[in-house]
Every structure is written in C-alpha cells, then in structure tokens.
C-alpha cells in the first residue's frame, strides 16, 4: 500500500512540475504530464484491496495520460497553435479526478489511522482552488495581456 501511495504522490508532483527547455522559438517540456499520470495509474494498481473501484481510478489516470500525451504531441507538432480551450477542459477533468483520488487517500488514511489525513484534506482544497484559477487563466488567454499571463503561468 505504501508503494502505491508513494507512486501516486510522485505522479501528482510530476503533473505539477514543468521543466521547459527553449531553443529559439521552440519550447520542449522535459517533464510532460502524461508521465505523471502513468505513475498515478501504477500507484492505483498497487493500492490493491484498499480501492473498491480500482478500474475507474486506473482508467481515469490512463485517460488523463492519453489526453496529456495528445496535448504534448500536438503542441510539439504545432507550437504556434492555441489549444487553450482543450487545455482548460483537461485541467478541469484533472481537478475532478485528483479530488476523487485525494478523497480516496483520505479514507485510506482514516482507516489505517495515519496522522497526515488532515493534511490530505487541506491539500485537496488547495489543489481545487489552484485548478480553478489555472482553468480560468487558460480559458481567458486571449483576453489577458501576454506579460501578465507569462508571469502567472510560471509561478
């Protein structure tokens, strides 16, 4: 069980970290989100008997991995195209999935009497707020000044 929780944690961290390499006008992400979602999927499998609806959690993370892979490939092929609407939808789906996943981890923590269960609940609420802000910024990319958007996206 601890291995599953660690893999889920590593996966969620990988989905939040963006290390970009820029060469001229081309930008390449060294830590694409789909890798993080693969870690989450493997972590959900490792949780085993603690997850009653394991296929839904594994399937959700695989769906998000495929969505992020599609975004990664399309962004690499068409770097000047604006896919902000699709990115915003994926972020909202991620928010729903991660909220369900953190609720699951909170239940497992209560069942096993872990002391950090309250911090998981707080993390869940902070994550939802951050996702809403990010989705709002993504949907309104065309309406914000470019410099302000770059500052907010790189925080």
């Amino acid at each position: 069980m601890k291995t599953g929780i660690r893999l889920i944690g590593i996966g969620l961290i990988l989905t939040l970290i963006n290390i970009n390499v820029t060469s001229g006008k081309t930008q390449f992400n060294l830590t694409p989100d789909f890798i993080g979602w693969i870690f989450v999927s493997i972590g959900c499998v490792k949780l085993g008997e603690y997850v009653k609806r394991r296929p839904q959690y594994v399937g959700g993370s695989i769906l998000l991995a495929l969505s992020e892979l599609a975004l990664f490939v399309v962004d690499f092929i068409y770097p000047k195209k604006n896919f902000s609407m699709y990115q915003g939808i994926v972020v909202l789906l991620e928010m729903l999935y991660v909220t369900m996943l953190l609720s699951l981890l909170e239940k497992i923590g209560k069942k096993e009497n872990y002391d950090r269960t309250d911090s998981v609940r707080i993390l869940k609420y902070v994550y939802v707020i951050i996702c809403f802000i990010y989705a709002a910024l993504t949907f309104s990319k065309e309406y914000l000044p470019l410099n302000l958007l770059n500052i907010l996206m790189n925080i």
Side-chain angles (χ1 to χ4, degrees):
M1 179 186 70
K2 288 184 180 182
T3 305
I5 292 173
R6 282 189 188 119
L7 287 170
I8 290 171
I10 290 168
L12 291 177
I13 288 171
L14 286 174
T15 62
L16 294 174
I17 294 175
N18 285 326
I19 300 174
N20 296 319
V21 175
T22 305
S23 174
K25 293 182 179 181
T26 306
Q27 186 175 6
F28 185 75
N29 187 355
L30 293 178
T31 56
D33 290 350
F34 69 88
I35 293 173
W37 291 116
I38 291 170
F39 272 90
V40 171
S41 177
I42 295 169
C44 287
V45 169
K46 297 275 185 188
L47 285 178
E49 74 273 359
Y50 289 96
V51 183
K52 291 179 184 173
R53 296 180 298 161
R54 185 174 44 177
Q56 286 89 345
Y57 284 98
V58 174
S61 57
I62 290 173
L63 178 68
L64 289 172
L66 292 174
S67 298
E68 289 290 349
L69 178 62
L71 270 174
F72 180 76
V73 169
V74 167
D75 193 41
F76 188 74
I77 294 171
Y78 304 106
K80 295 183 181 184
K81 295 274 186 175
N82 185 358
F83 297 101
S84 62
M85 182 64 80
Y86 181 68
Q87 289 171 332
I89 292 169
V90 170
V91 166
L92 290 175
L93 290 174
E94 288 175 355
M95 180 193 64
L96 291 172
Y97 178 79
V98 170
T99 303
M100 289 178 8
L101 188 62
L102 291 175
S103 295
L104 171 72
L105 294 178
E106 186 180 356
K107 286 178 188 175
I108 291 172
K110 284 181 183 176
K111 185 177 181 181
E112 297 294 319
N113 293 324
Y114 287 129
D115 355 339
R116 299 189 180 187
T117 305
D118 290 335
S119 60
V120 172
R121 187 176 62 248
I122 293 168
L123 176 65
K124 178 174 59 176
Y125 295 128
V126 169
Y127 188 85
V128 167
I129 291 168
I130 289 171
C131 283
F132 268 124
I133 292 170
Y134 181 79
L137 289 174
T138 303
F139 282 129
S140 63
K141 252 184 184 178
E142 297 87 36
Y143 305 110
L144 288 174
L146 188 58
N147 292 335
L148 174 64
L149 180 66
N150 284 334
I151 291 169
L152 291 175
M153 296 300 246
N154 290 320
I155 291 180

